[in-house]
Amino acid sequence: MKIKVIMGSGKEYMTERYGSIDEFLSSASGNSRRINYTFLDEAETIFINGDNISSLEIIKE
């Protein structure tokens, strides 16, 4: 599944790492005791703070 992640700063990312939106959301949602980083690629080189996500788009091909 291709997901477009739009951050609060306006920066946009694409990920195909997650099989469903629920899988992405469970990875990106954290708790109040720590910064919640989630990786967007398989090589784990692109990571974001899930608390700063503004919106998501599911890209259908």
Side-chain angles (χ1 to χ4, degrees):
M1 167 174 277
K2 196 180 266 189
I3 301 171
K4 182 186 220 180
V5 181
I6 302 150
M7 304 301 290
S9 66
K11 181 108 175 148
E12 297 180 359
Y13 299 95
M14 295 291 281
T15 184
E16 293 186 55
R17 180 177 181 157
Y18 303 94
S20 70
I21 196 74
D22 291 331
E23 185 181 341
F24 176 79
L25 290 173
S26 73
S27 172
S29 62
N31 61 47
S32 61
R33 292 190 212 160
R34 64 182 175 94
I35 296 174
N36 183 40
Y37 290 110
T38 189
F39 290 99
L40 297 179
D41 62 335
E42 293 295 330
E44 296 188 344
T45 57
I46 301 171
F47 60 96
I48 60 171
N49 181 344
D51 293 337
N52 294 328
I53 295 172
S54 175
S55 63
L56 301 172
E57 292 180 30
I58 298 171
I59 308 297
K60 295 186 179 185
E61 299 180 88

